Amino acid sequence: MGVTTLVRRWSAGFDWRTGLLAVLFGAGVVEVLIGAQLSRAGVLDVATSTMLAVAAVWAALLSWCLLRRHLAEGEALVQLCAVAALLVLESVLVPDTTWQWVCATVLFVVPVAGVMFLRRSLLALLTAGVVAGQVVVVVARHQDPRLAAYALSAVLLCSLVPVVVVFVLATAVRGAQARAEHLARTDALTGLLNRHGLGEAAAATVSEAVAAAAEGRGGAVLGVLVADVDRFKAVNDTWGHGVGDRVLARTALALRAGVRERDLVVRLGGEEFAVVGTWPDDAAVAAAAERLRAAVERVDEPGVPRVTVSVGTADRPAGGLAGTAAQTASEVLGCLVDEADQGLYDAKHAGRNCVRRSTRPRSPEQTAEQTAEQTAAAGTRIGA
């Protein structure tokens, strides 16, 4: 295994925020070592041993980041508080004016770095600590009260403005990121999960099913119901796509209202929906599917055509899924959706507006002939 491969594997688990903090600490080590050289040359009025001790503290913080690679909030708070305390002590104890200015400049960065890691309450606590430290530094260095007040106002302005600006920007970015993530996993028309959202929820869903089966509290099988609005093309052709969208939204509401809170309801695409959950057995899965079919059939909204759905079901014993990895969990749900889709195909050919359980599970070992046959059969869903 080459050095490049080792470096890539090591850096793969590095949290970007921890990486930025490591860069800050690394820069601190370099800056203090340069200061030690200037001290040895007599340029700075600071003892070289003091500079080396300070460099050791920065190096220790850097090592902490490199070893952990993903700092928790509490760890970041401890590190930033340690940096703030170190800078305040240096500013008070070291007589060299240039070094005091360097420490004061770096001190401004501490609460700004805290924006990346800390919630509002802890960020406010850290900022208050930095401000208190700056008050100590200013009072210790300026005997004239008027000069101290002037210096303190300037210092506080330089400290608080960057924190506020960065905090506002970071909040806006996080909000935009959260909205983008929500849109990426949610169907805009119905508000349900989409296929991507189902994939993200797969691991947690399978784990919950396994735990429920083990504890006997939720069910023994992981089931998938796939429902398709009957003759939806005719709805669009007769009433228009606007009414078709209202039909889909109304169907989604009926499905969401007809399931338990813990169940996942997904819009697979077009007029096809899925429900994922745990039930005691396959008969309970079929009963749940029948309740949903009936719930959609009962919906009546003025100006919108009444529709029905055909439903296919598939299930797996939840206990046999123990130890399923995240990627495998997504594959398991994908296979169940495919199997339920076969049951849906049977329901369509049985006359629509009914429930059928899949009896033909798909597997990777299917022959090319079987796959071609199923693809051709799926293409016969005219007016489905």
Side-chain angles (χ1 to χ4, degrees):
M1 184 181 298
V3 176
T4 304
T5 303
L6 290 175
V7 171
R8 286 178 179 174
R9 288 189 177 182
W10 175 78
S11 60
F14 223 111
D15 174 52
W16 68 271
R17 300 173 302 170
T18 304
L20 288 178
L21 208 56
V23 170
L24 173 63
F25 295 155
V29 172
V30 173
E31 189 70 23
V32 176
L33 289 178
I34 293 174
Q37 292 298 322
L38 295 176
S39 173
R40 185 173 299 169
V43 177
L44 288 178
D45 185 16
V46 187
T48 304
S49 59
T50 300
M51 301 298 289
L52 294 176
V54 172
V57 175
W58 283 100
L61 295 173
L62 172 61
S63 300
W64 191 352
C65 289
L66 296 179
L67 290 173
R68 291 285 293 149
R69 296 190 293 173
H70 196 296
L71 293 178
E73 183 183 49
E75 293 176 297
L77 179 62
V78 170
Q79 288 195 333
L80 293 172
C81 287
V83 169
L86 178 64
L87 294 171
V88 170
L89 287 174
E90 289 182 73
S91 299
V92 172
L93 300 179
V94 174
D96 189 273
T97 305
T98 301
W99 191 248
Q100 292 171 6
W101 177 83
V102 171
C103 292
T105 302
V106 178
L107 191 58
F108 296 155
V109 181
V110 172
V112 175
V115 173
M116 298 186 299
F117 283 96
L118 308 178
R119 70 192 82 165
R120 292 184 181 182
S121 57
L122 293 180
L123 178 62
L125 180 64
L126 176 65
T127 304
V130 169
V131 169
Q134 290 169 334
V135 171
V136 171
V137 172
V138 170
V139 171
R141 289 303 174 189
H142 298 87
Q143 301 302 321
D144 189 323
R146 292 172 299 179
L147 185 58
Y150 176 73
L152 184 60
S153 65
V155 167
L156 293 181
L157 183 65
C158 292
S159 298
L160 295 179
V161 170
V163 174
V164 172
V165 171
V166 173
F167 177 77
V168 171
L169 291 176
T171 301
V173 170
R174 288 168 182 164
Q177 183 180 15
R179 289 191 294 273
E181 292 175 351
H182 176 74
L183 291 174
R185 62 175 180 269
T186 306
D187 175 61
L189 175 64
T190 63
L192 302 178
L193 290 177
N194 56 22
R195 282 185 178 270
H196 179 69
L198 176 61
E200 286 188 342
T205 301
V206 172
S207 296
E208 174 62 24
V210 172
E215 299 172 11
R217 57 179 172 82
V221 300
L222 174 66
V224 171
L225 323 176
V226 173
D228 186 272
V229 180
D230 295 324
R231 297 185 174 87
F232 185 71
K233 184 178 183 299
V235 173
N236 278 334
D237 291 343
T238 304
W239 296 76
H241 289 277
V243 172
D245 287 347
R246 291 175 62 186
V247 168
L248 294 178
R250 186 186 63 181
T251 302
L253 286 175
L255 294 175
R256 180 71 268 181
V259 300
R260 302 158 297 187
E261 184 177 352
R262 67 176 183 269
D263 295 333
L264 299 180
V265 185
V266 185
R267 184 184 178 190
L268 296 177
E271 64 272 23
E272 196 168 73
F273 301 86
V275 177
V276 181
T278 57
W279 286 272
D281 49 38
D282 56 356
V285 176
E290 176 59 30
R291 286 194 299 271
L292 292 179
R293 184 206 61 76
V296 173
E297 187 178 26
R298 288 194 301 268
V299 174
D300 187 10
E301 181 179 327
V304 179
R306 299 183 67 172
V307 296
T308 60
V309 292
S310 301
V311 186
T313 71
D315 54 76
R316 287 275 195 285
L321 301 176
T324 301
Q327 181 179 4
T328 309
S330 181
E331 293 173 357
V332 167
L333 286 187
C335 289
L336 282 173
V337 169
D338 287 345
E339 292 175 23
D341 205 49
Q342 288 296 300
L344 173 62
Y345 171 77
D346 293 340
K348 292 289 187 181
H349 277 263
R352 301 183 177 88
N353 193 24
C354 60
V355 176
R356 290 293 183 272
R357 180 174 184 270
S358 171
T359 57
R360 293 173 292 174
R362 292 182 179 180
S363 69
E365 292 75 21
Q366 284 180 309
T367 64
E369 182 180 352
Q370 287 174 310
T371 303
E373 180 183 346
Q374 290 172 358
T375 302
T380 64
R381 297 185 192 178
I382 299 174

